[in-house]
Amino acid sequence: MKLKKLTAAVILILFVTVPIADAAGFTDIKGHWGEEIINILANEGVVSGVSDTEFNPDGTVTRAEFLRMALGAANIGETSYRKGECLDVNGDEWFAPCVQGALDKGLIPEAMIREYSVRIVGEGNESKAVYSGYLDAELPIKREEMAYIAHSVFQYSLEGESAEALKPLEDMYFTDLSSISLWALDGVRHAFSNGLVAGMEDDSFRPKDTATRAQAATIIYQILGKLK
């Protein structure tokens, strides 16, 4: 499967780690359920390891890291950071333009932002949104948060002429379905129905669990494959 290439800036940030020349160098993914997908993405230059020989598939991914990966996979552009208008982002962070762009496009759920508020200043073409609150972008992302963002960027990208239409919603039978936050439920259902996320081997979803690098890689693989 040939995957869509990402921009150099996005590739640099994906997993924010040490690049390697060949995925075969990852010794810690042998026998891991994500081995095949990680190898494909690494050979395409989409993901990198934490060292020359380790990918750390069960390591954590931050909110900012996954948001940047998802935007890049869906080929959604970032927006120049606007001082004082982007939550708790101060502009010095590598993810500032990513968060600003995602906010402007409505891709970050309000429930992920503490003390969230937005107001419009100016008029007509000069109007702009000013966002207040705390994204805590460097917190490890939860599985339900990752699923919601994955669906948000995938749906947004479907405005492109070559993208496939959203699939009808399917029923979910996860054993812990009631544990999914109400705000995230529709996003998880859409992501599941469109093949972006899946449950665990025991038929649970574990929505509050911290997402892993292998899980994030799998979602990026799915987005890239559907929008190639």
Side-chain angles (χ1 to χ4, degrees), residues 177-194:
L177 185 63
S178 62
S179 297
I180 300 175
S181 300
L182 289 178
W183 67 264
L185 189 58
D186 282 348
V188 173
R189 191 182 301 276
H190 278 284
F192 172 77
S193 300
N194 285 277

Side-chain angles (χ1 to χ4, degrees), residues 34-66:
E35 179 180 1
E36 182 178 1
I37 287 176
I38 292 169
N39 278 331
I40 291 173
L41 293 180
N43 281 327
E44 290 289 337
V46 176
V47 299
S48 300
V50 298
S51 73
D52 287 347
T53 59
E54 296 181 327
F55 182 78
N56 191 20
D58 297 319
T60 61
V61 179
T62 68
R63 290 174 164 185
E65 287 171 347
F66 184 75

